[in-house]
Amino acid sequence: MCGIVGYIGDKDATPILLEGLRRLEYRGYESAGVAILTNGDISIAKEPGKLGELEQALTRKPISGTLGVGHTRWATHGLPNKMNAHPHTDFTGRLAMIHNGVIENYQAIKTKLQASGYEFTTETDTEALVNLISEFYQNGHTLEEAVRSALSQVEGTFGIVLISKDDPDLLIAARRGSPLVVGMGEGEFVVASDVAAIISHTKDVTYLDDNEVAVMSRNELVIKTIDNLEVNKRVEKISFDLDKIEKSGYDHFMLKEIMEQPQTIEDAMRGRLLLEEGTAHLGGIEHEIDSLLYAPKMLFSACGTSWHAALIAEYMLEEWVRTPVEVEYASEFRYRDPVIERGSVAFVISQSGETADTLAALKESKRKGAKVLALCNVVGSTIARESDAGVYLHAGPEIGVASTKAFTSQVTVCSLITLLLARMRNIGVSKGVEIVNEMKTLPGKVQSILDHHSVIKEIANEFHKSQNFLYLGRGYNFPVALEGALKLKEISYIHAEGYPAAEMKHGPIALIDENMPVVVIATKDSIYEKVITNIEEVRARRGRIIAIATEGDEEMKNHADHIIYVPATLEFLTPILTIIPLQLLAYYIAILRGCDVDQPRNLAKSVTVE
């Protein structure tokens, strides 16, 4: 959500900023802009729409310099137009700033500054902050002091990068609740909201923590707290290569990431399955095993796709470990004063490790005394750093806004945790060995589904003009129905709802007619016959059935208009297989409708505001 890039060095900043913003397009945005220090003044170019609009503007009127900032904006305050696009300047024109996050007390700041003669031209909260910094700057503070003084008065979240025409050798960045990472090169620094914007320049980075301010000259980086205490930071290496964030010949990142899942599922299990012992080894949480085994309750907090993975984890853990599990939307958890029993374990799940609501749920769980464990994908992310322990997904960078490979990796890691705890509590080695052997086959089974994608493409061709879809599942596949519906609505803009199949009779059945495609996940499991009954209830209302069925299920031909087969597996592992055709169905429908699958309208990859 929003992209930040800042540069100071001896190279032309403009192409570096544009390249960085291009790497951050996946985060979602509605306008873009840059501010460059040029010949002692700040030159600004910004345009609504996609980055190409900004690039065309810079072709018509080039600007260059060795200090600058760039931004892609996802609107929170004010329309996504040129006026509200970042960067923003202060009233005097001395400062230019970019900002991610929300300044909650911006109206009070703005009112106070207006009383002192400041004029405002935008609807944004960012303009209030840059002018507050300016107020201190004009009253004798150094640029660094002005930033720290202003931020000490701010309520809310921010990731900011700032330049001044009066300090041509300084680039200043600060964060609270919105990620920033500093890349360190030879005689240059690149600061960004994501390492994707840095990796082509350097692999040496340091991550800012909340309430830290980074002051960069061309040869020095100093990091302090807002309270002016110097901080010694660890330099880390970016763990992936540039090709991981390229399309590699695919038309879209989303398709590439769907097709990568045999490998990413394998990577999530790599080195973690112990065949002879029939168990799993998870080094990131091994010192918290007692906390997990003796927890009176486990809590899961997450948002969106990660919340669906948490629901599957609830089914897994309650069946196999017999521990009560509660799953919460992180956005609700943080505000409802939840009851957390002493000794409870709270899991937070986030692909980016920066999701604002999930981070707030983490902090609330800690405040109430829970042990907090994280499942996330991004090494060095805020959630990874602030949790007590956790497990990385190892899915690699996920660029498509609609999560695919991260979801299957999350479910895979949840199955590993389930196996580990079940073996320690109530299943024997022979059952554990059976589960390990079956888990090892999952990458190959996913590949077999992907190899038959042409069947899914044909179904997409028939239904891509539909206005509504209903997704039904039971047991482990109810969350898969939710996730399948979410994928379709995210990228094709078709209204879609996921429901427990039996709950269809309590409302959604009223929507079913001959124009309503109904996707039913009907694998051969313990409730197969119940799902068949639900299918017949749909057919009796002339609904058109698209069934996800187990290979070899010939009976399904008597019940469904279209069938997508998946290999058989253990019941609790079926979501890892059944979601694959639903991802592909959403993708192909969106393509046929001419939608931008990698950057759907109004959505952002990393949701760093409430």
Side-chain angles (χ1 to χ4, degrees), residues 472 474 501 504 512 518-523 528-549 553 556 558-561:
L472 302 176
R474 298 184 75 150
M504 169 190 61
I512 295 173
V518 181
V519 179
V520 184
I521 305 161
T523 51
Y528 174 76
E529 297 299 334
K530 298 291 186 183
V531 176
I532 293 296
T533 299
N534 299 139
I535 289 175
E536 289 305 308
E537 291 165 346
V538 173
R539 280 163 53 85
R541 278 81 184 171
R542 299 182 180 178
R544 303 174 71 185
I545 299 291
I546 303 167
I548 311 300
D553 183 1
M556 188 57 66
N558 299 321
H559 303 284
D561 300 284

Side-chain angles (χ1 to χ4, degrees), residues 102-113:
V102 175
I103 306 302
E104 294 173 358
N105 62 334
Y106 85 99
Q107 195 61 59
I109 294 170
K110 184 175 180 178
T111 300
K112 179 180 178 181
L113 292 172

Side-chain angles (χ1 to χ4, degrees), residues 453-506:
H453 65 95
S454 58
V455 174
I456 302 168
K457 188 181 283 190
E458 290 172 8
I459 296 171
N461 192 57
E462 181 168 343
F463 291 102
H464 73 279
K465 293 183 180 179
S466 299
Q467 297 304 306
N468 300 281
F469 268 73
L470 184 62
Y471 286 70
L472 302 176
R474 298 184 75 150
Y476 284 103
N477 283 308
F478 160 51
V480 177
L482 295 176
E483 176 62 12
L486 177 61
K487 289 284 97 60
L488 187 69
K489 71 181 80 171
E490 280 182 315
I491 63 171
S492 75
Y493 316 140
I494 294 174
H495 174 256
E497 294 296 332
Y499 250 81
E503 286 294 305
M504 169 190 61
K505 297 186 290 295
H506 298 276

Side-chain angles (χ1 to χ4, degrees), residues 191-458:
V191 60
S193 50
D194 191 307
V195 294
I198 292 174
I199 191 170
S200 63
H201 301 282
T202 179
K203 284 196 169 186
D204 294 324
V205 299
T206 191
Y207 296 89
L208 295 189
D209 287 311
D210 278 355
N211 298 311
E212 290 182 347
V213 180
V215 181
M216 292 157 275
S217 63
R218 285 168 175 78
N219 295 297
E220 186 181 26
L221 167 66
V222 177
I223 299 176
K224 298 180 179 179
T225 67
I226 288 174
D227 297 326
N228 200 30
L229 298 175
E230 193 161 335
V231 181
N232 292 318
K233 303 289 288 187
R234 186 175 65 178
V235 177
E236 301 185 33
K237 290 282 185 183
I238 299 174
S239 59
F240 61 87
D241 296 318
L242 195 58
D243 63 348
K244 295 292 186 182
I245 53 173
E246 302 288 356
K247 290 181 183 175
S248 305
Y250 288 94
D251 290 337
H252 300 93
F253 281 111
M254 183 178 180
L255 182 60
K256 172 178 179 276
E257 289 157 8
I258 290 172
M259 295 299 180
E260 286 177 341
Q261 287 175 108
Q263 185 60 55
T264 55
I265 292 168
E266 175 72 33
D267 289 343
M269 298 187 293
R270 190 181 306 279
R272 292 171 168 173
L273 287 173
L274 305 178
L275 180 59
E276 291 186 3
E277 299 173 40
T279 190
H281 172 73
L282 296 167
I285 60 171
E286 63 182 354
H287 57 292
E288 299 295 349
I289 294 300
D290 284 350
S291 298
L292 288 162
L293 286 174
Y294 299 108
K297 183 169 69 174
M298 295 184 192
L299 303 162
F300 279 78
S301 297
C303 301
T305 287
S306 298
W307 187 79
H308 298 153
L311 284 180
I312 295 169
E314 177 183 20
Y315 280 71
M316 289 179 174
L317 289 163
E318 289 198 340
E319 178 184 359
W320 290 92
V321 186
R322 309 309 297 165
T323 297
V325 177
E326 186 175 331
V327 178
E328 296 264 4
Y329 283 111
S331 54
E332 291 295 312
F333 182 86
R334 67 186 299 189
Y335 289 116
R336 70 172 194 84
D337 193 21
V339 175
I340 299 179
E341 300 173 54
R342 182 180 298 275
S344 293
V345 172
F347 281 92
V348 292
I349 307 180
S350 167
Q351 187 282 135
S352 66
E354 302 292 350
T355 311
D357 287 319
T358 307
L359 180 58
L362 180 157
K363 292 177 179 178
E364 178 66 8
S365 298
K366 271 193 168 183
R367 188 181 72 81
K368 292 199 167 193
K371 185 73 66 175
V372 179
L373 309 183
L375 308 184
C376 67
N377 193 37
V378 179
V379 176
S381 60
T382 305
I383 286 174
R385 296 198 307 273
E386 295 204 8
S387 58
D388 296 308
V391 183
Y392 282 119
L393 306 180
H394 299 311
E398 188 178 63
I399 306 301
V401 167
S403 180
T404 53
K405 64 178 183 176
F407 174 75
T408 49
S409 292
Q410 287 168 347
V411 177
T412 300
V413 167
C414 288
S415 69
L416 291 169
I417 294 170
T418 299
L419 171 61
L420 171 62
L421 297 179
R423 276 287 289 117
M424 299 185 78
R425 175 161 288 181
N426 51 24
I427 68 170
V429 65
S430 60
K431 187 64 178 178
V433 168
E434 178 190 349
I435 293 171
V436 170
N437 277 322
E438 184 55 35
M439 292 185 71
K440 285 176 175 288
T441 71
L442 291 174
K445 290 179 176 180
V446 170
Q447 187 62 58
S448 73
I449 299 169
L450 296 173
D451 289 343
H452 293 90
H453 65 95
S454 58
V455 174
I456 302 168
K457 188 181 283 190
E458 290 172 8

Side-chain angles (χ1 to χ4, degrees), residues 3-8 11-18 21 32-47 51 54 58 61-72 85-90 93-99 126 130 161-165 167-168 170-172 191 218:
I4 276 181
V5 188
Y7 176 79
I8 185 170
K11 301 184 181 75
D12 185 1
T14 304
I16 293 172
L17 298 177
L18 290 175
L21 294 178
V34 296
I36 310 290
L37 188 63
T38 306
N39 299 321
D41 206 356
I42 295 174
S43 298
I44 292 180
K46 53 186 181 178
E47 295 291 335
L51 191 57
L54 175 62
L58 288 167
K61 189 177 180 181
I63 56 177
S64 63
T66 58
L67 174 66
V69 293
H71 191 266
T72 50
H86 294 217
H88 289 295
T89 59
D90 71 318
R94 297 168 70 194
L95 307 177
M97 190 180 81
I98 54 180
H99 165 226
T126 304
V130 72
V161 186
L162 182 86
I163 61 174
S164 167
K165 69 179 184 179
D167 285 284
L170 285 183
L171 180 69
I172 296 184
V191 60
R218 285 168 175 78

